[in-house]
Coordinates of all heavy atoms in Angstrom, one line a residue:
M1 N -35.7 -19.3 -12.3 CA -35.3 -20.5 -11.7 C -36.1 -21.6 -12.4 O -37.3 -21.5 -12.4 CB -35.5 -20.4 -10.2 CG -35.5 -21.7 -9.5 SD -36.0 -21.6 -7.7 CE -35.8 -20.0 -7.2
K2 N -35.5 -22.7 -12.8 CA -36.2 -23.8 -13.3 C -36.6 -24.8 -12.3 O -35.8 -25.1 -11.4 CB -35.2 -24.4 -14.3 CG -35.9 -25.6 -15.1 CD -35.0 -26.0 -16.2 CE -35.5 -27.2 -17.0 NZ -36.5 -26.9 -17.9
L3 N -37.9 -25.2 -12.3 CA -38.5 -26.2 -11.4 C -39.0 -27.2 -12.2 O -39.6 -27.0 -13.3 CB -39.6 -25.4 -10.5 CG -39.2 -24.2 -9.8 CD1 -40.4 -23.6 -9.1 CD2 -38.3 -24.7 -8.6
T4 N -38.9 -28.5 -11.7 CA -39.6 -29.7 -12.1 C -41.1 -29.5 -12.1 O -41.6 -28.8 -11.1 CB -39.0 -31.0 -11.7 OG1 -39.4 -31.0 -10.3 CG2 -37.5 -30.9 -11.7
E5 N -41.8 -30.4 -12.8 CA -43.2 -30.5 -12.5 C -43.6 -30.9 -11.1 O -44.6 -30.4 -10.5 CB -43.8 -31.4 -13.6 CG -43.9 -30.9 -15.0 CD -44.6 -29.5 -15.0 OE1 -45.7 -29.3 -14.4 OE2 -44.1 -28.6 -15.7
K6 N -42.8 -31.8 -10.5 CA -43.1 -32.3 -9.2 C -42.8 -31.2 -8.2 O -43.6 -31.0 -7.2 CB -42.1 -33.5 -8.8 CG -42.5 -34.2 -7.5 CD -43.9 -34.7 -7.5 CE -44.2 -35.4 -6.2 NZ -45.6 -35.8 -6.1
M7 N -41.8 -30.4 -8.3 CA -41.5 -29.3 -7.5 C -42.7 -28.3 -7.6 O -43.2 -27.9 -6.5 CB -40.2 -28.5 -7.8 CG -38.9 -29.3 -7.5 SD -37.6 -28.3 -8.2 CE -36.3 -29.5 -7.9
K8 N -43.2 -28.0 -8.8 CA -44.3 -27.1 -9.0 C -45.5 -27.6 -8.3 O -46.3 -26.9 -7.5 CB -44.6 -26.9 -10.4 CG -43.5 -26.0 -11.0 CD -43.9 -25.9 -12.5 CE -42.7 -25.2 -13.3 NZ -42.9 -25.2 -14.7
E9 N -45.8 -29.0 -8.4 CA -46.9 -29.6 -7.7 C -46.9 -29.6 -6.1 O -47.7 -29.1 -5.6 CB -47.0 -31.0 -8.1 CG -48.1 -31.9 -7.5 CD -48.0 -33.4 -7.9 OE1 -47.4 -33.7 -8.9 OE2 -48.4 -34.2 -7.0
V10 N -45.6 -29.8 -5.6 CA -45.5 -29.8 -4.2 C -45.6 -28.3 -3.7 O -46.3 -28.1 -2.7 CB -44.0 -30.4 -3.9 CG1 -43.7 -30.1 -2.3 CG2 -44.1 -31.9 -4.1
L11 N -45.1 -27.4 -4.4 CA -45.1 -26.0 -3.9 C -46.5 -25.4 -4.1 O -46.9 -24.6 -3.4 CB -44.1 -25.1 -4.7 CG -42.7 -25.3 -4.3 CD1 -41.7 -24.7 -5.3 CD2 -42.4 -24.9 -2.9
G12 N -47.2 -25.9 -5.1 CA -48.6 -25.5 -5.4 C -49.6 -26.0 -4.3 O -50.6 -25.3 -4.0
D13 N -49.2 -27.0 -3.7 CA -49.9 -27.5 -2.6 C -49.6 -27.1 -1.2 O -49.9 -27.7 -0.2 CB -50.0 -29.2 -2.6 CG -50.7 -29.7 -3.8 OD1 -51.5 -28.9 -4.5 OD2 -50.4 -30.8 -4.2
A14 N -48.7 -26.1 -1.1 CA -48.0 -25.7 0.2 C -49.2 -25.2 1.1 O -50.2 -24.6 0.7 CB -47.1 -24.6 -0.2
D15 N -48.9 -25.5 2.4 CA -49.7 -24.9 3.4 C -49.1 -23.6 3.9 O -48.1 -23.6 4.7 CB -49.7 -25.9 4.6 CG -50.6 -25.4 5.7 OD1 -51.0 -24.2 5.7 OD2 -50.9 -26.2 6.6
L16 N -49.6 -22.5 3.2 CA -49.0 -21.2 3.5 C -49.3 -20.7 4.8 O -48.6 -19.7 5.3 CB -49.4 -20.3 2.4 CG -48.9 -20.6 1.0 CD1 -49.4 -19.7 0.0 CD2 -47.4 -20.7 1.0
G17 N -50.4 -21.3 5.5 CA -50.7 -20.8 6.8 C -49.5 -21.2 7.8 O -49.3 -20.6 8.8
R18 N -48.8 -22.4 7.6 CA -47.7 -22.9 8.3 C -46.5 -22.7 7.6 O -45.5 -23.1 8.2 CB -48.1 -24.4 8.5 CG -49.3 -24.6 9.4 CD -49.4 -26.1 9.6 NE -50.2 -26.3 10.9 CZ -50.2 -27.4 11.6 NH1 -49.4 -28.3 11.2 NH2 -50.8 -27.4 12.6
N19 N -46.5 -22.2 6.4 CA -45.3 -22.1 5.6 C -44.5 -23.3 5.5 O -43.3 -23.5 5.7 CB -44.3 -21.0 6.2 CG -44.9 -19.7 6.2 OD1 -45.7 -19.4 5.3 ND2 -44.6 -18.8 7.2
E20 N -45.2 -24.4 5.2 CA -44.5 -25.7 5.0 C -45.2 -26.5 3.8 O -46.2 -26.1 3.4 CB -44.6 -26.5 6.3 CG -46.0 -26.8 6.7 CD -46.1 -27.5 8.2 OE1 -45.1 -27.2 8.9 OE2 -47.0 -28.1 8.4
I21 N -44.5 -27.5 3.4 CA -45.0 -28.4 2.4 C -45.0 -29.8 2.9 O -44.3 -30.2 3.8 CB -44.1 -28.3 1.1 CG1 -42.6 -28.4 1.4 CG2 -44.4 -27.0 0.3 CD1 -41.7 -28.4 0.1
N22 N -45.9 -30.7 2.2 CA -46.0 -32.1 2.6 C -45.8 -32.9 1.4 O -45.9 -32.5 0.3 CB -47.4 -32.2 3.2 CG -47.5 -31.4 4.7 OD1 -46.8 -31.7 5.5 ND2 -48.4 -30.5 4.6
D23 N -45.8 -34.2 1.7 CA -45.6 -35.2 0.7 C -44.5 -34.9 -0.3 O -44.6 -34.9 -1.6 CB -46.8 -35.4 -0.1 CG -48.1 -35.8 0.8 OD1 -47.8 -36.6 1.7 OD2 -49.2 -35.3 0.5
V24 N -43.3 -34.7 0.2 CA -42.1 -34.4 -0.6 C -41.2 -35.5 -0.7 O -40.6 -35.9 0.4 CB -41.4 -33.1 0.1 CG1 -40.2 -32.7 -0.7 CG2 -42.3 -32.0 0.5
P25 N -41.1 -36.0 -1.9 CA -40.2 -37.2 -2.2 C -38.7 -36.6 -1.9 O -38.4 -35.5 -2.0 CB -40.2 -37.5 -3.7 CG -41.6 -36.9 -4.1 CD -41.9 -35.7 -3.1
I26 N -37.9 -37.6 -1.4 CA -36.5 -37.2 -1.1 C -35.7 -36.5 -2.3 O -35.2 -35.4 -2.1 CB -35.7 -38.3 -0.7 CG1 -34.4 -37.9 0.0 CG2 -35.5 -39.5 -1.6 CD1 -33.7 -39.0 0.8
S27 N -35.8 -37.0 -3.5 CA -35.2 -36.4 -4.7 C -35.7 -34.9 -4.9 O -34.9 -34.0 -5.2 CB -35.4 -37.1 -5.9 OG -36.7 -37.3 -6.3
T28 N -36.9 -34.7 -4.6 CA -37.6 -33.3 -4.8 C -37.0 -32.4 -3.8 O -36.6 -31.2 -4.0 CB -39.0 -33.4 -4.8 OG1 -39.5 -34.3 -5.9 CG2 -39.7 -32.0 -5.0
A29 N -36.9 -33.0 -2.4 CA -36.4 -32.2 -1.4 C -34.9 -31.7 -1.7 O -34.6 -30.6 -1.4 CB -36.5 -33.0 0.0
Y30 N -34.2 -32.5 -2.2 CA -32.8 -32.2 -2.5 C -32.8 -31.0 -3.5 O -32.0 -30.1 -3.5 CB -31.9 -33.4 -3.0 CG -31.4 -34.3 -2.0 CD1 -31.8 -35.7 -2.0 CD2 -30.4 -33.8 -1.1 CE1 -31.4 -36.5 -1.0 CE2 -30.0 -34.6 -0.2 CZ -30.4 -35.9 0.0 OH -29.9 -36.8 1.0
G31 N -33.7 -31.2 -4.5 CA -33.7 -30.1 -5.6 C -34.2 -28.8 -5.0 O -33.7 -27.7 -5.3
L32 N -35.1 -28.9 -4.1 CA -35.8 -27.6 -3.5 C -34.6 -27.0 -2.6 O -34.6 -25.8 -2.4 CB -37.0 -27.9 -2.7 CG -38.2 -28.4 -3.5 CD1 -39.3 -28.9 -2.6 CD2 -38.7 -27.3 -4.4
E33 N -33.9 -27.8 -1.9 CA -32.8 -27.3 -1.0 C -31.8 -26.7 -1.8 O -31.3 -25.5 -1.5 CB -32.2 -28.5 -0.2 CG -31.1 -27.9 0.7 CD -30.4 -29.1 1.5 OE1 -30.5 -30.3 1.0 OE2 -29.8 -28.8 2.6
D34 N -31.4 -27.3 -3.0 CA -30.4 -26.7 -3.9 C -30.8 -25.3 -4.3 O -30.0 -24.4 -4.6 CB -30.1 -27.5 -5.1 CG -29.4 -28.8 -4.8 OD1 -28.7 -28.8 -3.6 OD2 -29.2 -29.7 -5.6
R35 N -32.2 -25.2 -4.4 CA -32.6 -23.8 -5.1 C -33.0 -22.9 -3.9 O -33.6 -21.8 -4.1 CB -33.9 -24.1 -5.9 CG -33.5 -24.8 -7.2 CD -34.8 -25.4 -8.0 NE -34.5 -26.0 -9.1 CZ -34.0 -27.2 -9.4 NH1 -33.6 -28.0 -8.3 NH2 -33.8 -27.7 -10.4
E36 N -32.6 -23.4 -2.6 CA -32.9 -22.5 -1.4 C -34.3 -22.2 -1.1 O -34.7 -21.2 -0.6 CB -32.0 -21.3 -1.4 CG -30.5 -21.6 -1.4 CD -29.6 -20.4 -1.5 OE1 -30.2 -19.3 -1.5 OE2 -28.4 -20.6 -1.5
L37 N -35.2 -23.2 -1.5 CA -36.7 -23.0 -1.4 C -37.1 -23.6 0.0 O -38.2 -23.3 0.5 CB -37.4 -23.6 -2.6 CG -37.1 -22.9 -3.9 CD1 -37.9 -23.7 -4.9 CD2 -37.4 -21.4 -3.8
I38 N -36.3 -24.4 0.5 CA -36.7 -25.1 1.8 C -35.5 -24.9 2.8 O -34.3 -24.9 2.2 CB -37.2 -26.6 1.7 CG1 -36.1 -27.4 1.0 CG2 -38.4 -26.7 0.9 CD1 -36.3 -29.0 1.1
S39 N -35.7 -25.0 4.0 CA -34.6 -24.9 4.9 C -33.7 -26.2 4.9 O -34.2 -27.2 4.4 CB -35.1 -24.6 6.3 OG -35.9 -25.7 6.8
S40 N -32.5 -26.0 5.2 CA -31.5 -27.2 5.2 C -31.8 -28.2 6.1 O -31.2 -29.3 6.1 CB -30.2 -26.6 5.2 OG -29.9 -26.1 6.5
D41 N -32.7 -28.0 7.1 CA -33.0 -29.0 8.2 C -34.1 -30.0 7.7 O -34.7 -30.5 8.6 CB -33.1 -28.4 9.5 CG -34.3 -27.5 9.5 OD1 -35.0 -27.1 8.5 OD2 -34.7 -27.0 10.7
W42 N -34.6 -30.0 6.6 CA -35.6 -30.8 6.0 C -35.6 -32.3 6.4 O -36.6 -32.9 6.6 CB -36.0 -30.6 4.5 CG -34.8 -31.1 3.6 CD1 -33.8 -30.3 3.3 CD2 -34.7 -32.3 3.1 NE1 -32.9 -31.1 2.4 CE2 -33.4 -32.3 2.4 CE3 -35.3 -33.6 3.3 CZ2 -32.9 -33.4 1.7 CZ3 -34.8 -34.6 2.6 CH2 -33.6 -34.6 1.8
R43 N -34.4 -32.8 6.5 CA -34.2 -34.2 6.8 C -34.6 -34.6 8.2 O -35.0 -35.7 8.5 CB -32.7 -34.6 6.7 CG -32.3 -34.6 5.3 CD -30.7 -34.7 5.2 NE -30.1 -34.3 4.0 CZ -29.6 -33.0 3.9 NH1 -29.8 -32.0 4.7 NH2 -29.2 -32.7 2.7
K44 N -34.8 -33.4 9.2 CA -35.3 -33.7 10.4 C -36.8 -33.4 10.6 O -37.4 -33.4 11.6 CB -34.5 -32.7 11.4 CG -33.0 -32.9 11.4 CD -32.4 -31.9 12.3 CE -30.9 -31.9 12.2 NZ -30.2 -30.8 12.7
A45 N -37.4 -33.1 9.4 CA -38.9 -32.8 9.4 C -39.6 -33.8 10.1 O -39.4 -35.1 9.9 CB -39.4 -32.5 8.0
K46 N -40.6 -33.5 10.8 CA -41.4 -34.5 11.6 C -42.4 -35.1 10.5 O -42.8 -34.6 9.6 CB -42.3 -33.8 12.6 CG -41.5 -33.3 13.8 CD -42.3 -32.7 14.9 CE -41.3 -32.5 15.9 NZ -41.4 -31.3 16.7
G47 N -42.7 -36.4 10.7 CA -43.6 -37.1 9.9 C -43.0 -37.8 8.7 O -43.7 -38.1 7.7
A48 N -41.8 -37.9 8.7 CA -41.2 -38.6 7.5 C -41.5 -40.1 7.4 O -41.5 -40.7 8.5 CB -39.6 -38.5 7.6
Q49 N -41.8 -40.5 6.3 CA -42.2 -42.0 6.2 C -41.6 -42.5 5.0 O -41.3 -41.7 4.0 CB -43.6 -42.1 6.3 CG -44.4 -41.4 5.1 CD -45.9 -41.5 5.2 OE1 -46.4 -41.3 6.3 NE2 -46.7 -41.7 4.2
T50 N -41.6 -43.8 4.8 CA -41.1 -44.4 3.6 C -42.2 -45.0 2.7 O -43.3 -45.1 3.3 CB -40.1 -45.5 4.0 OG1 -40.8 -46.5 4.8 CG2 -38.9 -45.1 4.6
T51 N -42.0 -45.1 1.5 CA -43.0 -45.6 0.6 C -43.3 -47.1 0.9 O -42.6 -47.7 1.7 CB -42.5 -45.4 -0.9 OG1 -41.3 -46.1 -1.0 CG2 -42.4 -44.1 -1.3
A52 N -44.2 -47.6 0.2 CA -44.6 -49.1 0.5 C -43.5 -50.0 0.4 O -43.2 -50.9 1.1 CB -45.6 -49.5 -0.5
G53 N -42.4 -49.8 -0.5 CA -41.4 -50.6 -0.7 C -40.3 -50.4 0.4 O -39.4 -51.1 0.5
G54 N -40.4 -49.3 1.0 CA -39.5 -48.9 2.1 C -38.3 -48.3 1.8 O -37.2 -48.2 2.4
T55 N -38.2 -47.8 0.4 CA -36.9 -47.3 -0.2 C -36.8 -45.8 -0.4 O -35.8 -45.3 -0.2 CB -36.5 -48.1 -1.4 OG1 -37.5 -47.8 -2.4 CG2 -36.3 -49.6 -1.2
F56 N -37.9 -45.2 -0.6 CA -37.9 -43.8 -0.9 C -38.7 -43.1 0.1 O -40.0 -43.1 0.2 CB -38.4 -43.6 -2.3 CG -37.7 -44.2 -3.3 CD1 -38.3 -45.3 -4.0 CD2 -36.5 -43.8 -3.8 CE1 -37.6 -46.0 -5.0 CE2 -35.8 -44.4 -4.8 CZ -36.3 -45.5 -5.4
P57 N -38.0 -42.3 1.0 CA -38.7 -41.5 2.0 C -39.4 -40.3 1.4 O -39.1 -39.8 0.4 CB -37.6 -41.0 2.9 CG -36.3 -41.7 2.5 CD -36.6 -42.2 1.1
I58 N -40.7 -40.1 2.1 CA -41.4 -39.0 1.7 C -41.5 -38.1 3.0 O -41.7 -38.7 4.0 CB -42.9 -39.4 1.4 CG1 -42.9 -40.5 0.2 CG2 -43.8 -38.2 1.2 CD1 -42.9 -39.8 -1.1
Y59 N -41.3 -36.8 2.9 CA -41.2 -35.9 4.0 C -42.5 -35.0 4.2 O -43.0 -34.6 3.2 CB -39.9 -35.0 4.0 CG -38.7 -35.9 4.1 CD1 -38.1 -36.5 3.0 CD2 -38.1 -36.0 5.4 CE1 -37.0 -37.4 3.2 CE2 -37.0 -36.8 5.5 CZ -36.5 -37.5 4.4 OH -35.3 -38.2 4.6
H60 N -42.8 -34.8 5.3 CA -44.0 -34.0 5.7 C -43.5 -32.8 6.6 O -42.5 -32.9 7.3 CB -45.1 -34.8 6.4 CG -45.5 -35.9 5.6 ND1 -46.3 -35.9 4.4 CD2 -45.2 -37.2 5.7 CE1 -46.5 -37.1 4.0 NE2 -45.9 -38.0 4.8
R61 N -44.3 -31.7 6.6 CA -44.0 -30.6 7.4 C -42.6 -30.0 7.2 O -41.9 -29.6 8.2 CB -44.2 -31.0 8.9 CG -45.6 -31.4 9.2 CD -45.8 -31.8 10.6 NE -46.0 -30.7 11.4 CZ -46.3 -30.5 12.6 NH1 -46.2 -31.6 13.3 NH2 -46.5 -29.4 13.2
V62 N -42.3 -29.9 5.9 CA -41.0 -29.3 5.5 C -41.1 -27.8 5.4 O -41.9 -27.3 4.7 CB -40.4 -29.9 4.2 CG1 -39.2 -29.2 3.7 CG2 -40.3 -31.5 4.3
K63 N -40.3 -27.1 6.2 CA -40.4 -25.6 6.3 C -39.9 -24.9 5.0 O -38.8 -25.3 4.5 CB -39.6 -25.1 7.5 CG -40.2 -25.4 8.8 CD -41.7 -24.8 9.0 CE -42.3 -25.1 10.3 NZ -43.6 -24.6 10.4
L64 N -40.6 -24.0 4.5 CA -40.2 -23.2 3.4 C -39.3 -21.9 3.9 O -39.6 -21.4 4.9 CB -41.5 -22.6 2.7 CG -42.3 -23.6 1.9 CD1 -43.7 -23.1 1.6 CD2 -41.6 -24.1 0.8
T65 N -38.5 -21.6 3.0 CA -37.7 -20.3 3.2 C -38.5 -19.2 2.7 O -39.6 -19.4 2.2 CB -36.4 -20.4 2.5 OG1 -36.6 -20.5 1.1 CG2 -35.4 -21.5 2.9
K66 N -38.1 -18.0 3.0 CA -38.7 -16.8 2.5 C -38.9 -16.9 0.9 O -40.0 -16.7 0.5 CB -38.1 -15.6 2.9 CG -38.7 -14.2 2.3 CD -38.0 -13.0 2.8 CE -38.7 -11.8 2.3 NZ -38.0 -10.5 2.6
L67 N -37.8 -17.4 0.2 CA -37.9 -17.5 -1.2 C -38.9 -18.6 -1.6 O -39.6 -18.4 -2.5 CB -36.5 -17.7 -1.9 CG -36.4 -18.0 -3.3 CD1 -36.9 -16.8 -4.1 CD2 -35.0 -18.3 -3.7
G68 N -38.9 -19.6 -0.8 CA -39.8 -20.7 -1.0 C -41.3 -20.3 -0.8 O -42.2 -20.7 -1.7
I69 N -41.6 -19.5 0.1 CA -42.9 -19.0 0.3 C -43.4 -18.1 -0.8 O -44.4 -18.2 -1.4 CB -43.0 -18.2 1.7 CG1 -42.8 -19.1 2.8 CG2 -44.4 -17.4 1.8 CD1 -42.5 -18.4 4.1
E70 N -42.5 -17.2 -1.4 CA -42.8 -16.4 -2.5 C -43.0 -17.2 -3.7 O -43.9 -16.9 -4.5 CB -41.6 -15.4 -2.7 CG -41.5 -14.3 -1.6 CD -40.1 -13.6 -1.6 OE1 -39.3 -13.8 -2.6 OE2 -39.9 -12.8 -0.8
T71 N -42.2 -18.2 -3.9 CA -42.3 -19.0 -5.1 C -43.6 -19.8 -5.1 O -44.3 -20.1 -6.1 CB -41.2 -20.1 -5.2 OG1 -40.0 -19.3 -5.2 CG2 -41.2 -20.9 -6.5
A72 N -43.9 -20.3 -3.9 CA -45.2 -21.1 -3.7 C -46.5 -20.2 -3.9 O -47.4 -20.7 -4.7 CB -45.4 -21.7 -2.2
C73 N -46.4 -18.9 -3.4 CA -47.5 -17.9 -3.8 C -47.6 -17.8 -5.1 O -48.7 -17.6 -5.7 CB -47.2 -16.7 -2.9 SG -47.4 -16.8 -1.2
S74 N -46.5 -17.6 -5.7 CA -46.5 -17.3 -7.3 C -47.0 -18.5 -8.1 O -47.8 -18.3 -9.0 CB -45.0 -17.1 -7.7 OG -45.0 -16.9 -9.2
I75 N -46.8 -19.7 -7.7 CA -47.3 -20.9 -8.4 C -48.8 -21.0 -8.1 O -49.6 -21.3 -9.0 CB -46.6 -22.2 -7.9 CG1 -45.1 -22.2 -8.4 CG2 -47.3 -23.4 -8.4 CD1 -44.2 -23.2 -7.9
K76 N -49.2 -20.8 -6.9 CA -50.7 -20.7 -6.6 C -51.4 -19.6 -7.3 O -52.5 -20.0 -7.9 CB -50.9 -20.5 -5.1 CG -50.7 -21.8 -4.2 CD -50.9 -21.4 -2.8 CE -50.6 -22.7 -2.0 NZ -51.8 -23.5 -1.8
E77 N -50.9 -18.5 -7.6 CA -51.4 -17.4 -8.3 C -51.6 -17.8 -9.7 O -52.5 -17.5 -10.4 CB -50.6 -16.2 -8.1 CG -51.3 -15.0 -8.7 CD -52.5 -14.5 -8.0 OE1 -52.7 -14.7 -6.7 OE2 -53.4 -14.0 -8.8
Q78 N -50.5 -18.4 -10.3 CA -50.6 -18.8 -11.7 C -51.7 -19.9 -12.0 O -52.2 -20.0 -13.1 CB -49.3 -19.4 -12.2 CG -48.2 -18.3 -12.2 CD -46.8 -18.8 -12.5 OE1 -46.7 -20.1 -12.8 NE2 -45.7 -18.0 -12.5
S79 N -51.9 -20.7 -11.0 CA -52.9 -21.9 -11.2 C -54.3 -21.4 -11.1 O -55.2 -22.2 -11.2 CB -52.6 -22.9 -10.2 OG -52.9 -22.5 -8.8
R80 N -54.5 -20.2 -10.7 CA -55.9 -19.7 -10.6 C -56.5 -19.4 -11.9 O -56.1 -19.0 -12.9 CB -56.0 -18.4 -9.7 CG -55.7 -18.8 -8.3 CD -55.9 -17.5 -7.4 NE -55.6 -17.9 -6.0 CZ -55.4 -17.0 -5.1 NH1 -55.7 -15.7 -5.2 NH2 -55.2 -17.3 -3.9

């Protein structure tokens, strides 16, 4: 599966204790959803906020799917 650098960065910073990711730009969230790495209810994630300009939402506490957890673990392992 092909991932962008931003996707790898976000997944590499995953909170695996909670099975979630934070600081996820909206465009990255759409890509992660298409790859079935995050649950489809990410738009309802708590803590969503907009950037300084107010145009691009950033999402927090986005839940990972089982595949997302496995991918995040793999990315973390590769970065060691």
Side-chain angles (χ1 to χ4, degrees):
M1 160 184 349
K2 186 170 171 89
L3 299 173
T4 66
E5 288 302 314
K6 186 62 177 179
M7 288 178 188
K8 291 177 187 175
E9 177 186 332
V10 169
L11 290 168
D13 292 336
D15 180 347
L16 295 176
R18 294 180 154 202
N19 296 331
E20 62 188 26
I21 51 179
N22 293 297
D23 301 325
V24 185
I26 192 168
S27 59
T28 302
Y30 279 116
L32 293 170
E33 181 183 21
D34 287 345
R35 291 162 178 82
E36 299 180 354
L37 299 175
I38 61 173
S39 62
S40 60
D41 62 350
W42 61 268
R43 292 172 201 85
K44 299 174 189 173
K46 293 185 170 135
Q49 64 187 38
T50 55
T51 57
T55 55
F56 299 106
I58 304 274
Y59 291 85
H60 304 285
R61 304 179 79 182
V62 177
K63 292 294 183 187
L64 292 165
T65 61
K66 183 178 178 184
L67 178 60
I69 294 166
E70 292 169 0
T71 304
C73 288
S74 175
I75 290 170
K76 284 181 178 276
E77 186 65 33
Q78 289 174 6
S79 67
R80 289 184 182 174

